[in-house]
Amino acid sequence: MVEKIFSTCRHALGSETWGRVLTAMDEDLTIESFPDMLASLAESMELPGYIADLARLEWILHKKTAVDGPNQRIQTVSVNPTLTMVPVRWKNLTAFIRSNATGAAPLNEPAHVIVWRHPESKDLHFREARDIDLLALKLIVEQIDPKEAARLGKVTPGDIQTAIDQAISRGFLLSPGSRIRRAKPPAGKIDPSLASFLSAENFTLQWHVTQACDLDCLHCYDRSDRTPLTLDTAMAILDDFYDFCRRTHVRGQVTFTGGNPLLYPHFDDVYRAASQFGFGIAILGNPTPLDRVRQLLEIDRPLYFQVSLEGLEAHNDAIRGKGHFARSLAFLEGLRDLDIFSMVMLTLTRDNLTQVLPLARLLEDRADAFTFNRLSTVGKGAKLLMPEKAAFESFLREYDAAAAKNPKMGLKDNLINIIRQEKSAALFGGCTGHGCGAAFNFLALLPDGEVHACRKFPSLIGNITKNSLYDIYRSDLAERYRAGSRACRSCRLNPVCRGCLAIAFSLSLDVFTEKDPFCFASQQVTGA
């Protein structure tokens, strides 16, 4: 038993010295006392100085083999109850154990080793604690506010949050999981394969920081005059969003848009602050001089930069202005040179229905991703026409088939899941990764502080200058948008679809009771 438990010690000492150690053992010595015995014999037998620490660590690892992983439900980020921290006088003991004493010898420097069982796999883990690990544990044990820790340590809140997130991912800190969860439809049962779509780990704040724009597109949702927020208010919003993400246990993303977000006078300051909070950052904008993009790269690299095209050159330029198509293609090449992930979005209308697939082919070697949104006939978009229902269904079938051959074509429109259900193909997350994300894992923030469930139609649920984002999100009105239309509640595709509320609104339907009028789901799809 001693040889099995302390196998690294045995290999480190060699068979002759190990034999002398066993001979020196008192008959009444317990296995638990073996590390102390090695410490007492170290000088007289000229044993390696690290041997007692090595034995203590091997004994703890042995004891942990009989300990189950954590099972209790928790309400806040907590230390894994299986975790043991072992102070040692020698570094590299964990690597020495993994090599079974064949690696580099430990170094005579103090360290800490942490040992724990992963909450999901139940596997036993051990590692020499790094400074970032110790910081994460200290924050949680002493209940230190991360923003205060960042201030005292002269680092960013994002640095602190990264330490905590890494500890959670490794399993020595436990998180209660996302509190962004949908209520199950009253009809009852959920397809187990779709249950994961009822909870979101990421939350996007789509922030329209300005109405100012260098384009005047024919389908723009909102050209109203909205006064942009001051820099102080913008900074307070990021602080509020950080608190929202902590309270709901999600990773935050800020998607900057407008208008053209780069025309917001304080954009660089707000972009930098979003980075320092540790948020993922994305930009929905217009073709921009590459020198301007390089300035942003000096602050942080965006997750992606998205531009819009409305079809092939002639049609696009009729919508977005002469020369826009050529500037966009050149800009996409520039983004590739800068190693920035590029996305292209198209607004689908009756007039460009036949141009989508040719545009997708043209962009296959120019952009990293391409997809479309259906036209919402609000704002200037009211002057354009939606596709007819039959033509739209036919288009979706062609698009889904083409996307199977073109990896750059993204699946975004929720109704594509109807087609994939028919083919028994894997379903996807739809518009925001969880079907309609309105007031679920997504909120739109307008330049004057208004918060909407979705930007594509008027869906005001509060104003961030008057209430916190957390309170706005938890309001009864937000919950109504989050629940979606009652007409969709019994559909088996509900977790990945719910249609599009903006389209229902555009056709003067009640978004809370009537379904997306373009839905073509058969009766076989619906029902509890």
Side-chain angles (χ1 to χ4, degrees), residues 433-512:
H434 300 268
C436 175
F440 177 57
N441 65 329
F442 171 95
L443 286 175
L445 173 62
L446 303 195
D448 56 1
E450 284 189 0
V451 178
H452 288 247
C454 173
R455 184 64 181 107
K456 290 176 62 178
F457 74 107
S459 48
L460 180 66
I461 57 175
N463 192 300
I464 204 166
T465 64
K466 298 177 182 178
N467 298 101
S468 71
L469 198 64
Y470 185 80
D471 289 339
I472 293 171
Y473 183 83
R474 289 171 57 85
S475 67
D476 291 342
L477 184 54
E479 177 56 37
R480 290 191 71 194
Y481 282 110
R482 194 154 46 245
S485 171
R486 287 203 300 270
C488 296
R489 305 253 175 106
S490 63
C491 181
R492 288 164 55 196
L493 295 177
N494 181 284
V496 292
C497 185
R498 300 166 180 250
C500 179
L501 300 182
I503 299 302
F505 176 89
S506 296
L507 295 177
S508 302
L509 301 177
D510 184 337
V511 300
F512 300 119

Side-chain angles (χ1 to χ4, degrees), residues 393-427:
E393 179 183 345
S394 178
F395 161 76
L396 282 191
R397 296 183 184 279
E398 293 176 3
Y399 186 94
D400 181 61
K405 302 175 182 178
N406 183 345
K408 302 297 180 65
M409 293 174 63
L411 300 180
K412 183 175 176 65
D413 194 291
N414 296 334
L415 299 187
I416 295 176
N417 272 313
I418 301 173
I419 299 168
R420 299 185 70 80
Q421 174 91 357
E422 293 172 355
K423 300 189 303 183
S424 298
L427 303 180

Side-chain angles (χ1 to χ4, degrees), residues 213-232:
C213 191
D214 46 330
L215 302 177
D216 189 18
C217 303
L218 297 184
H219 59 356
C220 185
Y221 298 137
D222 185 0
R223 296 296 291 167
S224 62
D225 184 17
R226 296 176 184 267
T227 302
L229 300 168
T230 66
L231 178 59
D232 286 346

Side-chain angles (χ1 to χ4, degrees), residues 42-260:
E43 184 174 352
S44 62
M45 287 192 175
E46 298 183 346
L47 304 180
Y50 59 78
I51 198 69
D53 276 349
L54 180 62
R56 291 190 185 98
L57 189 52
E58 286 200 285
W59 173 244
I60 289 171
L61 291 174
H62 169 72
K63 289 194 298 181
K64 290 290 184 182
T65 60
V67 177
D68 291 332
N71 294 309
Q72 74 271 30
R73 297 176 65 88
I74 59 174
Q75 299 301 315
T76 188
V77 177
S78 308
V79 176
N80 186 326
T82 69
L83 182 134
T84 298
M85 182 177 291
V86 187
V88 293
R89 295 176 298 168
W90 294 78
K91 278 190 171 182
N92 297 341
L93 288 172
T94 57
F96 200 57
I97 290 174
R98 289 192 175 93
S99 72
N100 201 20
T102 61
L107 300 175
N108 190 6
E109 295 180 32
H112 289 83
V113 174
I114 50 177
V115 184
W116 74 98
R117 281 199 173 276
H118 195 279
E120 296 175 2
S121 69
K122 311 301 183 185
D123 291 337
L124 185 64
H125 294 262
F126 61 98
R127 61 184 284 162
E128 189 171 291
R130 302 175 303 164
D131 289 344
I132 195 171
D133 301 329
L134 298 174
L135 172 62
L137 290 167
K138 179 180 178 66
L139 290 169
I140 300 308
V141 170
E142 299 183 15
Q143 298 184 353
I144 300 173
D145 180 80
K147 287 186 290 187
E148 178 63 12
R151 186 186 67 81
L152 294 174
K154 297 182 180 179
V155 295
T156 69
D159 294 331
I160 300 297
Q161 195 60 47
T162 295
I164 295 173
D165 289 344
Q166 288 184 1
I168 292 171
S169 69
R170 292 189 173 97
F172 59 84
L173 288 184
L174 304 182
S175 172
S178 171
R179 291 192 172 129
I180 302 298
R181 297 178 180 274
R182 290 196 193 274
K184 290 184 178 180
K189 295 182 179 178
I190 292 290
D191 184 334
S193 67
L194 303 182
S196 63
F197 293 102
L198 297 177
S199 176
E201 303 296 327
N202 300 283
F203 192 96
T204 297
L205 182 67
Q206 187 182 90
W207 191 353
H208 298 254
V209 290
T210 181
Q211 295 287 82
C213 191
D214 46 330
L215 302 177
D216 189 18
C217 303
L218 297 184
H219 59 356
C220 185
Y221 298 137
D222 185 0
R223 296 296 291 167
S224 62
D225 184 17
R226 296 176 184 267
T227 302
L229 300 168
T230 66
L231 178 59
D232 286 346
T233 302
M235 294 298 190
I237 286 171
L238 290 173
D239 189 77
D240 182 58
F241 185 46
Y242 179 82
D243 288 339
F244 171 88
C245 293
R246 285 196 65 213
R247 294 180 72 175
T248 54
H249 300 287
V250 293
R251 291 181 291 273
Q253 175 178 318
V254 180
T255 299
F256 290 108
T257 185
N260 183 349

